[in-house]
């Protein structure tokens, strides 16, 4: 049977005409690459702001950048987006005057409220896909544009975090019967009421995953600007290598800081149909990248180490707490009411702690404290700040005794105190909470002990 590959190209993969040429050649290299999802133009060489951020700034009348402490007016954003698209049109040598006029009209749109934000945010992907399609046609490729509004990519009306509705899959299945290269803008869909609604940020990955699922693709290639998923953040450990193969479960556990190359929700449906996801580098297409699969042979113990910063630790102690049924629920409910992300809940007989995202309690820690005092009347209630959680992950850890001891010894040798230890119940990950100022040194020590030294022995 004919192979079908869905490819998603990220913003940096398509930031200028040189990049588009690389994409063209990647598509030409394998005729199975026929379902192409594109992001809005990204930053070039990591500089400046993304087109989507400029569009959000226009839609929110400058609040988007103001909230980030950046002095960029909506007018400046309008000019940046116009300039970016004009340059792309010129560099690609296509006739794009209608695209530029349409983009300007849309940026001046008078739609208001939340619908305005989503409509505006989607324009990067919308116009970029139209531009790329023309570029590929100009280069002699049989490319066709399929917009979410044309193909029935129907989403819920949860603006800014829309979800794909089930009818979409039947609608998209029809794409499987089309010939040529199908170009689809990522990140947005159309609600049942006919409005544009976008997924959460990075949502073009999600469009790619949904298209791959609907057409039952043989592979979902996610083209980005790194060689794949690294064992640890390569900015901190320069000798870190790309992981060749990971299971869906492992990538889920690693998906925190340093591993955020891929939108998690994009994987859910691919996993249901066992569609492998290949993370590849547009700037280095001969590199095999990282393959995410259902099952793999565990050739090592820890395959990677994730790191999560900005963690706070809410600790409480109360005589007799161990006998109170539902004590953990009380504190978790308070945190839920304040929309605080929680991570781990180490408990003992009369004390318990919850690890939370420190950024979520910046403005309300005093209220949260008061509510916990009132609900639980603890003898001690303390909040500790600036922790990092380091999490070695790997399906091979389950059968191998002593990995946790080996990791603890590596930190002991560096005189790094472990404040929290928690082993995941699946036994394929464990978590050390340490003071953030040790995190770089701790990550290096764990990498050396669990990953580098092991590969040296294996070689
Ligand atoms: N352009 C959108 C964003 O910047 C979606 C994406 O790139 O995946 O979040």
């Amino acid at each position: 049977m004919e192979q079908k590959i869905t490819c998603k190209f990220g913003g940096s993969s398509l930031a200028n005409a040189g990049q588009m040429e690389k994409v063209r050649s990647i598509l030409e290299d394998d005729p199975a690459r026929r379902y192409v999802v594109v992001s809005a133009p990204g930053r070039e060489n990591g500089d400046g702001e993304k087109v989507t951020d400029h569009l959000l700034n226009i839609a929110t009348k400058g609040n988007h950048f103001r909230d980030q402490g950046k002095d960029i007016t909506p007018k400046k954003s309008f000019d940046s987006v116009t300039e970016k698209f004009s340059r792309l049109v010129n560099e690609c040598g296509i006739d794009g005057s209608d695209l530029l006029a349409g983009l300007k009209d849309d940026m001046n749109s008078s739609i208001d409220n939340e619908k305005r934000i989503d409509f505006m945010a989607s324009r990067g992907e919308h116009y970029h896909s139209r531009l790329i399609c023309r570029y590929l046609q100009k280069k002699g490729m049989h490319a066709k544009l399929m917009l979410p509004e044309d193909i029935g990519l129907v989403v819920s009306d949860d603006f800014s975090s829309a979800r794909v509705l089930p009818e979409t899959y039947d609608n998209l299945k029809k794409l499987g019967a089309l010939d040529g290269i199908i170009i689809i803008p990522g990140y947005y869909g159309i609600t049942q009421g006919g409005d544009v609604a976008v997924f959460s940020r990075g949502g073009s990955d999600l469009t790619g995953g949904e298209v791959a699922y609907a057409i039952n693709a043989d592979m979902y290639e996610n083209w980005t600007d790194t060689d794949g998923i690294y064992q640890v953040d390569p900015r901190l450990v320069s000798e870190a290598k790309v992981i060749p193969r990971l299971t869906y479960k492992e990538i889920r556990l690693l998906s925190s800081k340093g591993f955020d190359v891929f939108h998690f929700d994009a994987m859910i449906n691919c996993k249901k149909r066992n569609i492998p996801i290949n993370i590849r580098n547009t700037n280095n297409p001969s590199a095999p990248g990282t393959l995410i699969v259902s099952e793999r042979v565990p050739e090592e113990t820890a395959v990677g180490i994730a790191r999560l910063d900005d963690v706070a630790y809410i600790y409480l102690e109360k005589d007799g707490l161990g006998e109170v049924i539902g004590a953990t629920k009380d504190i978790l409910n308070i945190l839920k009411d304040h929309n605080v992300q929680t991570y781990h809940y180490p408990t003992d007989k009369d004390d318990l702690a919850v690890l939370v995202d420190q950024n979520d309690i910046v403005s309300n820690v005093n209220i949260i404290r008061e509510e916990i005092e009132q609900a639980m009347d603890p003898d001690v209630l303390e909040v500790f700040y600036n922790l990092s959680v380091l999490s070695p992950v790997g399906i091979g850890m389950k059968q191998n005794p002593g990995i946790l001891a080996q990791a603890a010894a590596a930190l002991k040798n560096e005189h790094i105190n472990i404040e929290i230890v928690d082993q995941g119940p699946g036994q394929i990950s464990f978590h050390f909470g340490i003071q953030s100022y040790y995190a770089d040194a701790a990550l290096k020590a764990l990498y050396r002990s669990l990953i580098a030294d092991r590969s040296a022995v294996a070689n």
Side-chain angles (χ1 to χ4, degrees), residues 8-12 38-42 50-53 55-56 121-122 124-125 186-188 198-207 263:
K8 179 257 169 178
F9 290 94
S12 58
V38 299
S39 286
K50 290 169 81 172
V51 161
T52 307
D53 287 292
L55 292 166
L56 284 167
S122 71
E125 273 71 11
Y187 187 40
Y188 78 93
V198 296
F199 304 127
S200 54
R201 292 299 304 270
S204 298
D205 283 348
L206 192 62
T207 309
H263 193 301

Side-chain angles (χ1 to χ4, degrees), residues 17-49:
Q19 290 300 105
M20 292 209 195
E21 187 46 31
K22 290 183 192 166
V23 169
R24 192 202 58 74
S25 136
I26 289 168
L27 295 177
E28 197 179 56
D29 271 354
D30 188 341
R33 292 180 177 138
R34 293 209 300 108
Y35 301 89
V36 180
V37 173
V38 299
S39 286
R43 297 184 187 97
E44 278 172 88
N45 311 318
D47 289 340
E49 301 294 341

Side-chain angles (χ1 to χ4, degrees), residues 270-331:
C270 290
K271 182 175 171 215
K272 282 191 202 146
R273 288 216 158 132
N274 271 334
I275 299 170
I277 302 170
N278 195 188
I279 312 282
R280 301 281 291 263
N281 190 351
T282 307
N283 304 318
N284 185 15
S286 57
T290 298
L291 199 60
I292 303 170
V293 286
S294 309
E295 194 173 335
R296 69 178 185 91
V297 176
E299 293 166 296
E300 69 298 279
T301 50
V303 71
I305 307 169
R307 164 178 170 173
L308 186 67
D309 293 324
D310 294 336
V311 175
Y313 183 65
I314 302 180
Y315 173 83
L316 66 87
E317 205 183 305
K318 180 181 165 76
D319 285 340
L321 190 73
E323 273 72 48
V324 180
I325 295 174
T328 320
K329 180 172 143 275
D330 289 344
I331 182 165

